[in-house]
Amino acid sequence: MKDCSFTIYIFILGALLSSVGANDSDNEIDIESLLRSISASLTVRGEPAVIDRALQIEGGLLESLENEIPVYQSDSGDVSRTAFTDGPELDGPKVQTKYGVLKGLTVDKAHIFYGIPFADPPVGALRWKPPTPVTPWKGVYDATFPRPACMQACSGPISDECPAKVSEDCLYLNIFVPLDVNFTSPLLKPLPVMVWIHGGDFIAGSASKPLYDGRFISNFTHTVVVSLEYRLGAFGFLVSGKDPKTSAVGNYGILDQQAALLWVQQNIDFFGGNPNKVTIFGESAGAQSVSLHLMIQSSQPLFRQAVFQSLPFSIPLKTRHDALKLGKSFAKLANCTIKDWACLKPLSSQAVLAAQVKAGAKIVNPFRFLEIFETWGPYIDGELIKEQAVTAFQKGHWQKEKPVLLGTTSEEGVIFVYGVFTKPVSVVECTVYTTAIFKQHALKILHKYLPLFKAKDCRAMLAQIVTDFVFLCPSRKSARAGTASGSSVWMYVFDHVVADHRVWAGLSSCYEHVCHGAELPFLFNSAAVANFTLTLPEKLLANRVLCYWGAFAHAGDPSARVEQTNFCQQQRPPAWPRYSDTSSWLLMNLTVHSHAQAGSRDRLCDFWDKLGIY
């Protein structure tokens, strides 16, 4: 396409946007209409997105949502826990914690303790409050089954991916322990601990999702694995004011994660774990959470090192102003005002969730509309979270002494773009969308990418732009900034297409692609749960991924030789060099023939770095 054509398209869009004038509400309505098609079927963060359903909920459907959500808690805030055993003793390991005795179960590959409370239920007067320490219990706590997930919308065409049970009473964690751990005598050498933070756009997901079965990692890597729940959506991130006594002040979900990490510090030694050797790891929104804990000073003593997988660095956290604007919309939809705490506080769980879904369908700031991909979530409150993660990592405002392993999949953007655009996108439409997102930088971006894609359908190009701008290139820049400040950093790209082309974990739009979350069935060795069968080379890849993550948990280096399984000792995976200029910026390509390589998209990342917009 010629330069003049680009200019014409951009001029037309500029005229369209400027025609809405200085009226902020008019701007919001017009741009929201323009973007509604972009997010109408959005699926995000490796989990089924609630926002796509929110955009489709109209009229009576929204009202019916309150009656459809399975909530396992009374509106009064009273929670009935059938958690204690008073009858005949059942077989299973028992552990004495600081809060009481737990009884778990022993299965193939691991001892499991499900549904351990790490804070009191955040219900009634404790809703929209920081988590409070769990109340000690008498008797034996039954930790043989998972508890309900945190509140989320579970209706519509992808409800099969949602948890079967949800509740406000959801602050629980699961622990997976290798079979050779004897709980009756302390280990001479406690095991490393790996704490998993699930993704789901901060509105969906669960630690107990079958895909995240931690027994495989625990057994293979010889570590204690912990997975935790945290409040989601409006329950975890509503902001209605500044005074915590008379308003919701947000970021409760991040505080829940901190409370779980503190519980691990206080209790994991009872399970054979070493509290001084904790690795936190997560994918997508879970990776965002990991990055925030590396920035939050009060999280510093709670873990030793970190792994973030598919961190969407370029999706901005909300400012306080925008978080309050979202809270105002939420309150109005709940038939309250943002300052009427007496109205907001006693809302039923269903009413909160219904207002959350409807509020999440709106664009809060039409000039920063990438936020629509993460409507609810952490915000910059100036105290707990002081800046954007991408800014903190580039400026060195994080815990640089901690080893970090990070990476992306090779086609992160496919699930987003093809999930949104079910029909081909023309060059004209592509130009409009690119300009709406990147404004004055659109011409340079289109000049860079259009020559690389010859098809009339521009979706492949848009998917690559999302991959590069949101995930890969800001991760690369942050990794290089970390190494420049003396940090130990390892970087990877997961680059393997599943051999039998089946789909998993809700990634149905990623047929024959290496999409967002594609590494999860390999990392958790849960391919059967994820609905595909591994070939022998793929099993080798899954084992190598576990060797790398396990070695990192044991020694802070994915190439270290440590006591894991015989496989890691006998079939030692290829060496994974630290990411630095002395190694020519080599990263690990994780595929059936894993190997260290230079970045395949370095020229495009150089372009984005120079553009300076993340």
Side-chain angles (χ1 to χ4, degrees):
M1 177 171 285
K2 296 181 180 179
D3 292 357
C4 61
S5 299
F6 285 124
T7 306
I8 290 171
Y9 293 139
I10 293 171
F11 176 80
I12 291 173
L13 183 65
L16 173 67
L17 295 178
S18 62
S19 68
V20 297
N23 188 306
D24 182 68
S25 62
D26 289 341
N27 266 336
E28 180 173 324
I29 294 171
D30 285 353
I31 295 181
E32 183 172 342
S33 299
L34 174 67
L35 298 177
R36 185 167 291 274
S37 62
I38 292 180
S39 48
S41 301
L42 185 64
T43 305
V44 287
R45 302 289 184 278
E47 293 281 354
V50 175
I51 193 169
D52 62 340
R53 297 197 295 276
L55 289 170
Q56 297 170 7
I57 292 174
E58 300 291 345
L61 267 181
L62 178 66
E63 284 71 33
S64 67
L65 180 63
E66 291 194 29
N67 300 319
E68 293 177 0
I69 300 165
V71 179
Y72 291 79
Q73 175 204 318
S74 66
D75 290 340
S76 67
D78 296 329
V79 177
S80 177
R81 285 183 173 174
T82 56
F84 302 98
T85 58
D86 296 319
E89 293 292 337
L90 299 177
D91 291 337
K94 289 185 179 179
V95 174
Q96 173 71 58
T97 71
K98 291 183 179 297
Y99 299 98
V101 178
L102 297 165
K103 178 177 62 65
L105 68 162
T106 299
V107 297
D108 180 37
K109 294 185 173 60
H111 305 291
I112 304 178
F113 299 85
Y114 285 119
I116 303 173
F118 63 82
D120 275 345
V123 300
L126 296 182
R127 178 196 281 172
W128 291 318
K129 297 292 183 183
T132 58
V134 64
T135 302
W137 59 83
K138 296 180 180 180
V140 179
Y141 182 90
D142 187 354
T144 63
F145 62 95
R147 270 42 178 197
C150 290
M151 293 296 299
Q152 53 197 281
C154 291
S155 60
I158 58 174
S159 58
D160 287 347
E161 296 297 330
C162 288
K165 298 179 180 180
V166 297
S167 173
E168 286 196 67
D169 175 15
C170 65
L171 298 187
Y172 299 91
L173 53 81
N174 306 318
I175 300 179
F176 304 85
V177 183
L179 288 175
D180 61 359
V181 171
N182 184 346
F183 297 105
T184 61
S185 59
L187 292 178
L188 296 177
K189 187 178 180 181
L191 301 178
V193 181
M194 299 180 70
V195 179
W196 173 251
I197 304 177
H198 72 78
D201 203 32
F202 295 108
I203 54 174
S206 168
S208 297
K209 186 174 182 178
L211 182 65
Y212 304 146
D213 190 336
R215 77 184 78 177
F216 304 103
I217 299 181
S218 177
N219 174 66
F220 194 99
T221 64
H222 210 230
T223 60
V224 176
V225 175
V226 180
S227 57
L228 60 89
E229 307 281 8
Y230 55 96
R231 281 173 282 181
L232 305 168
F235 298 92
F237 299 99
L238 176 67
V239 179
S240 66
K242 293 183 178 181
D243 187 349
K245 295 181 179 179
T246 59
S247 59
V249 295
N251 288 333
Y252 301 115
I254 301 301
L255 293 175
D256 292 342
Q257 295 170 11
Q258 272 195 333
L261 290 171
L262 179 60
W263 190 97
V264 168
Q265 287 295 308
Q266 296 172 336
N267 294 277
I268 206 63
D269 55 335
F270 299 120
F271 299 85
N274 185 348
N276 297 316
K277 220 172 193 179
V278 174
T279 300
I280 59 173
F281 68 128
E283 185 265 346
S284 200
Q288 275 187 285
S289 301
V290 170
S291 71
L292 292 176
H293 290 297
L294 281 165
M295 298 160 48
I296 296 171
Q297 188 58 39
S298 53
S299 294
Q300 195 278 334
L302 302 179
F303 64 101
R304 180 176 178 178
Q305 53 204 23
V307 180
F308 30 95
Q309 304 161 211
S310 300
L311 171 58
F313 260 123
S314 294
I315 302 297
L317 301 178
K318 281 185 170 54
T319 63
R320 180 182 294 276
H321 175 269
D322 286 345
L324 280 167
K325 192 172 182 181
L326 177 63
K328 184 176 181 180
S329 175
F330 166 88
K332 183 177 180 180
L333 290 164
N335 296 316
C336 300
T337 64
I338 195 170
K339 295 183 179 180
D340 190 351
W341 193 230
C343 177
L344 289 171
K345 190 71 173 177
L347 288 171
S348 70
S349 300
Q350 295 93 331
V352 172
L353 190 54
Q356 169 200 308
V357 171
K358 192 68 179 292
K362 296 179 178 291
I363 296 173
V364 174
N365 186 336
F367 298 103
R368 294 181 67 195
F369 64 76
L370 279 176
E371 290 180 0
I372 197 171
F373 295 114
E374 189 174 281
T375 306
W376 294 94
Y379 81 107
I380 300 174
D381 58 11
E383 297 177 2
L384 190 71
I385 302 171
K386 298 180 180 180
E387 58 189 326
Q388 300 289 349
V390 68
T391 303
F393 277 80
Q394 290 174 23
K395 291 185 176 180
H397 300 165
W398 60 287
Q399 298 151 33
K400 300 183 293 295
E401 74 282 1
K402 295 181 177 179
V404 168
L405 189 155
L406 75 159
T408 62
T409 66
S410 59
E411 298 176 279
E412 298 276 7
V414 169
I415 189 173
F416 300 92
V417 172
Y418 285 83
V420 168
F421 299 107
T422 57
K423 297 180 180 180
V425 175
S426 70
V427 173
V428 174
E429 292 171 313
C430 179
T431 302
V432 170
Y433 294 133
T434 304
T435 305
I437 295 172
F438 296 107
K439 305 178 181 64
Q440 71 270 26
H441 304 291
L443 185 60
K444 291 181 180 179
I445 294 167
L446 291 168
H447 265 306
K448 194 71 176 179
Y449 280 84
L450 271 175
L452 304 177
F453 296 86
K454 305 301 182 183
K456 293 182 179 180
D457 181 359
C458 284
R459 286 180 294 177
M461 184 187 78
L462 290 174
Q464 194 61 62
I465 290 175
V466 170
T467 296
D468 295 343
F469 170 68
V470 175
F471 295 95
L472 174 62
C473 298
S475 294
R476 189 195 77 153
K477 186 171 184 179
S478 298
R480 292 189 174 186
T483 62
S485 60
S487 300
S488 298
V489 179
W490 286 264
M491 197 168 184
Y492 74 87
V493 59
F494 188 84
D495 194 25
H496 176 67
V497 179
V498 177
D500 64 4
H501 298 153
R502 295 188 186 182
V503 297
W504 66 92
L507 307 186
S508 56
S509 60
C510 286
Y511 179 76
E512 295 186 343
H513 290 279
V514 190
C515 291
H516 193 67
E519 82 283 9
L520 294 176
F522 293 83
L523 175 61
F524 284 91
N525 200 7
S526 51
V529 172
N531 193 34
F532 66 87
T533 303
L534 294 181
T535 63
L536 286 176
E538 289 169 341
K539 290 179 180 178
L540 177 64
L541 170 60
N543 288 346
R544 284 180 169 176
V545 169
L546 284 168
C547 287
Y548 287 133
W549 263 244
F552 186 75
H554 279 266
D557 181 342
S559 288
R561 301 201 72 168
V562 296
E563 295 180 6
Q564 297 190 70
T565 62
N566 289 333
F567 172 88
C568 298
Q569 299 298 323
Q570 298 171 4
Q571 306 288 330
R572 190 177 182 189
W576 186 341
R578 280 177 55 177
Y579 190 69
S580 67
D581 53 356
T582 57
S583 70
S584 301
W585 300 112
L586 294 179
L587 51 80
M588 180 57 67
N589 184 310
L590 295 173
T591 186
V592 290
H593 301 293
S594 298
H595 58 282
Q597 66 172 43
S600 61
R601 304 190 65 79
D602 279 346
R603 289 186 178 180
L604 283 165
C605 286
D606 290 342
F607 162 76
W608 286 105
D609 287 355
K610 291 177 182 176
L611 211 56
I613 58 175
Y614 50 65

